Amino acid sequence: MSKIIHLWKSYWRILTRPSVHYSLGFLTIGGFLMGIVFWGGFNTAMEYTNTEEFCVGCHEMRENVFAELKTTIHYSNRSGVRAVCSDCHVPHDWTNKMARKMAASKEVWGKLFGTINTKEKFEAKRRELAEHEWARLKANDSLECRNCHNFDSMDFTRQSERASDQHSSALANGDKTCIDCHKGIAHKLPDMAGIH
Amino acid sequence: MKKLITALFTPFAFGTAILLAAAIAVAEPKISTLRGSANLDAEEQAPRMGKIENHDQKRQRAYPQQPPTIPHDITGYQVDKNFNKCLDCHARTKADESQAPMVSITHFMNSEGQFLADVTPARYFCNQCHVPQMDVKPMVENQFVDMDNLINTDK
């Protein structure tokens, strides 16, 4: 027992006055290296949750939204550039990304406790889930769309007349943002009662 | 006995030969079916898809009651119980913003002749009558004659 107390005391000394026993350089570099390991591990784990493999790992996503995405232009098109879930659903900057991840844990919670584990339950909840995404994209001026679709690089003369009419007016003057006009570009829309 | 057998068998053999020849003739496809000339266990290469006209210009109608064809691409437009993408621009309440023609007022009348506040369910699935057009060579010659031309040639 006294041995343990002794050991503890010496550790405590090291912890409280570390520079007596280890050089400052060792501590700095050691701390730095450990930092890299933990930070890297954390970020790698975070990165993994950004992959499509992770997103469609559960059947709720695979059989509903992913199956629908596959039929759209964001999955297959003539140029072969495609969007994965995180391109549209996860912000790029760190704070917003973490905030979105926290919100997404709610969806994982939903998975664990089966709030959307059948097609019917998912459809019933769908309008609410969609409203959250619309509100988010409306608030950030469709940032995730603009990460790929740069307004300044849009050549109106190459767009259809309907597209260039709307883009050069309501979009250009900031009245509307992408998601106001382009709902349902990646998945089937839920019951839109009340929208028109 | 032998003679009898030969007498009986000869016409039979002839008949079989004729049938066989006919069968071979039939097996040789003269008309191309939808499947094309590929063997039953093979698949023809699908023809290239045509380009959908997307010029947003109204087309002439072939007769007054003809449902107008769609002058633009509608690929991926959702029209089901949840949502109708066409009405997103062509609804009465959307036409001012989109500058698209409003759905015809006839579409608000139900089967009892009653005018409703919105498009009647019987008219909800737009593509039953309205379709986009492709820039392709017609598969068969079209012998349709415009009513005006018909009247003029009769005179």
Side-chain angles (χ1 to χ4, degrees):
Chain A
M1 188 65 198
S2 70
K3 233 184 182 168
I4 294 175
I5 292 175
H6 181 73
L7 206 67
W8 171 246
K9 272 188 178 154
S10 65
Y11 269 135
W12 185 247
R13 232 175 294 130
I14 294 171
L15 280 177
T16 46
R17 277 173 305 159
S19 51
V20 178
H21 300 270
Y22 299 96
S23 77
L24 193 63
F26 172 83
L27 282 174
T28 321
I29 293 171
F32 186 66
L33 289 178
M34 288 313 273
I36 290 180
V37 170
F38 281 119
W39 186 239
F42 180 67
N43 265 345
T44 309
M46 281 291 135
E47 275 318 309
Y48 178 66
T49 64
N50 261 0
T51 62
E52 193 159 81
E53 191 192 344
F54 175 81
C55 297
V56 303
C58 65
H59 74 97
E60 283 88 346
M61 293 298 146
R62 193 168 51 243
E63 281 151 32
N64 299 307
V65 278
F66 184 49
E68 292 163 6
L69 177 71
K70 282 184 175 172
T71 67
T72 74
I73 197 161
H74 284 105
Y75 187 83
S76 134
N77 55 56
R78 69 207 158 109
S79 32
V81 181
R82 59 158 299 210
V84 294
C85 320
S86 54
D87 288 331
C88 293
H89 289 295
V90 184
H92 279 206
D93 70 292
W94 203 82
T95 20
N96 284 340
K97 188 198 294 201
M98 285 305 130
R100 182 67 187 93
K101 294 273 182 205
M102 304 291 256
S105 348
K106 230 171 80 184
E107 282 137 38
V108 177
W109 178 274
K111 154 86 190 159
L112 293 179
F113 293 92
T115 36
I116 52 170
N117 63 1
T118 65
K119 183 96 189 156
E120 290 69 28
K121 285 192 205 166
F122 178 73
E123 290 298 335
K125 204 90 175 111
R126 193 163 194 174
R127 176 73 179 262
E128 188 190 325
L129 294 173
E131 299 270 6
H132 288 162
E133 283 305 288
W134 294 330
R136 186 179 63 82
L137 286 163
K138 177 82 182 157
N140 71 10
D141 196 14
S142 308
L143 179 66
E144 279 71 43
C145 314
R146 291 173 194 266
N147 283 340
C148 288
H149 297 274
N150 189 342
F151 177 78
D152 294 326
S153 304
M154 277 188 182
D155 182 349
F156 291 160
T157 63
R158 286 177 184 274
Q159 293 188 347
S160 66
E161 208 174 299
R162 289 178 308 145
S164 65
D165 278 355
Q166 296 291 330
H167 293 161
S168 60
S169 54
L171 177 64
N173 65 27
D175 265 2
K176 293 202 166 151
T177 182
C178 317
I179 201 64
D180 287 322
C181 301
H182 292 292
K183 293 186 176 68
I185 36 110
H187 318 287
K188 286 259 161 66
L189 285 170
D191 189 345
M192 298 293 277
I195 299 277
H196 63 61
Chain B
M1 188 64 197
K2 209 174 182 186
K3 247 189 190 157
L4 186 68
I5 290 176
T6 329
L8 277 177
F9 185 71
T10 317
F12 181 68
F14 262 116
T16 319
I18 288 170
L19 273 180
L20 220 84
I24 289 167
V26 168
E28 205 66 43
K30 286 271 151 47
I31 35 169
S32 161
T33 60
L34 264 185
R35 197 169 49 82
S37 55
N39 280 330
L40 261 182
D41 57 354
E43 217 171 289
E44 284 251 294
Q45 173 149 26
R48 289 185 72 83
M49 285 206 280
K51 221 176 149 66
I52 292 173
E53 288 186 358
N54 196 24
H55 49 51
D56 294 320
Q57 297 293 309
K58 285 196 182 86
R59 302 186 188 93
Q60 194 185 87
R61 300 193 202 185
Y63 53 96
Q65 305 90 331
Q66 184 214 307
T69 52
I70 303 173
H72 60 75
D73 196 351
I74 57 162
T75 309
Y77 280 15
Q78 180 178 350
V79 178
D80 60 18
K81 153 177 142 312
N82 284 342
F83 180 65
N84 185 322
K85 177 71 180 169
C86 311
L87 290 177
D88 214 17
C89 291
H90 293 283
R92 179 181 66 84
T93 50
K94 294 295 181 77
D96 55 339
E97 226 170 67
S98 66
Q99 288 298 304
M102 184 191 109
V103 259
S104 162
I105 178 65
T106 57
H107 297 36
F108 287 62
M109 191 164 74
N110 70 8
S111 46
E112 272 98 52
Q114 193 94 60
F115 271 102
L116 310 177
D118 207 342
V119 172
T120 162
R123 303 275 198 157
Y124 184 80
F125 293 102
C126 318
N127 298 131
Q128 283 181 315
C129 297
H130 303 283
V131 287
Q133 300 290 298
M134 279 191 179
D135 188 13
V136 287
K137 194 171 151 281
M139 302 246 271
V140 289
E141 192 198 344
N142 190 342
Q143 293 173 332
F144 180 85
V145 183
D146 191 298
M147 199 172 335
D148 288 351
N149 295 343
L150 204 63
I151 296 168
N152 289 340
T153 45
D154 250 15
K155 261 192 271 188

